[in-house]
Structures are given as C-alpha cells and as structure tokens.
Amino acid sequence: MTLRKPKRLNDSILPDVTLTDGDHELIVAANAVLESHYRPFWHMVAAAIRSHDGRIWTGLHIGTTVGRLSVCAEAVAFGRALLDGDGTIQTAVAVRHPKPEEENRELAVVPPCGACREMLLDHAPNAMIIVKDSDVLIKLPIRTLLPLPYRR
C-alpha cells in the first residue's frame, strides 16, 4: 500500500487519505453486490455506505430505458440506510462493471456522478468518499469532489 502525505486544498490540510481495513471492506461489499446482480446496461454500478453506527448499506444502479428514471447505486444504498438504519453516511464507495468493449475486465472504483455528489453533500457534508487517484485508492471529503455545490 502506498502512503501519501496530506494534501492541501485552499490552505487547509485534508485528512489522511489512506484506506483502512474498514474502507476495503466497503469495496468488497460493493463488489459482491455487483458480481451477484450485474446485468449489462441495467445494473452496471454498485455502491456501499458505512453509516456512523458502523453498519454497511449496499445499493445497485437501477437502469431504465428512459434514462432520467434510472436510479444511482449510491441513492439506493442511502435510501436503505435511511429506512433501516441511522440514516448517516461516514464513508461511501461506488464500483463499476467494465463495459463490453473494455479490455480490463476488473470491477473498478469510480467517483460518484454529479447528482450523487450533490445528494451526498446535502445529507452528509462530512462524509468521506473512496476514489481512485491515478492507480491508488484514496478517500476524500465529499466537499473536495464538489467544492461549489448548488444552493437554493
């Protein structure tokens, strides 16, 4: 595992970006969901969220023919945490199945889409998000992924 020094953003030091065993557990949980339920173009992404009480909530992307009706995996996982848990997000991760034309057939950690960044920031402004930086998995505060969120 590669260790990194804290990064600076707008003159503030970011928290430790290295992954813990619990973070790797989230990735394993998301991978397991996608491996079990993958269906091309219908279920391409899975997510896992650890709530503040330590429980893990998983979700699966629900694709639809009418794209605007699709639901992201992060939203499904968060909905489960709201309904059956404490409704909090400490750390989140999403994984994507490779597209049919891609040579690399491994599941990959991906950042949340823009809408999910907004949702995560709205409901968990202190959440950490696992992402891939070059070839290293790190975790960052959601605020670094959406520095200027929409406000109504």
Side-chain angles (χ1 to χ4, degrees):
M1 179 182 299
T2 305
L3 297 178
R4 293 177 167 238
K5 293 182 180 178
K7 294 184 179 182
R8 296 185 75 76
L9 179 69
N10 299 336
D11 293 325
S12 62
I13 295 178
L14 295 175
D16 185 8
V17 298
T18 55
L19 271 56
T20 65
D21 289 342
D23 297 328
H24 288 285
E25 184 182 17
L26 280 179
I27 297 167
V28 168
N31 283 342
V33 167
L34 195 52
E35 288 169 352
S36 297
H37 300 286
Y38 169 72
R39 185 172 161 210
F41 305 107
W42 296 101
H43 309 302
M44 306 254 328
V45 176
I49 290 172
R50 181 178 309 282
S51 56
H52 287 288
D53 67 6
R55 290 189 281 174
I56 294 176
W57 305 97
T58 57
L60 185 66
H61 163 253
I62 302 169
T64 62
T65 302
V66 178
R68 68 183 182 88
L69 297 177
S70 294
V71 179
C72 292
E74 295 92 333
V76 173
F78 181 54
R80 293 180 70 198
L82 280 170
L83 292 173
D84 297 326
D86 68 3
T88 64
I89 302 170
Q90 181 183 63
T91 306
V93 67
V95 296
R96 177 183 69 87
H97 195 281
K99 296 175 183 171
E101 68 274 8
E102 292 177 324
E103 275 187 42
N104 184 346
R105 304 308 301 159
E106 293 184 28
L107 302 181
V109 170
V110 293
C113 72
C116 286
R117 291 176 194 207
E118 292 279 356
M119 177 199 67
L120 291 164
L121 186 62
D122 283 349
H123 293 276
N126 297 315
M128 299 295 286
I129 310 299
I130 299 170
V131 295
K132 192 171 193 176
D133 181 19
S134 299
D135 281 335
V136 179
L137 293 175
I138 61 173
K139 62 182 173 184
L140 298 171
I142 184 62
R143 291 179 188 280
T144 63
L145 298 179
L146 192 65
L148 300 170
Y150 173 77
R151 295 289 173 236
R152 44 182 168 175

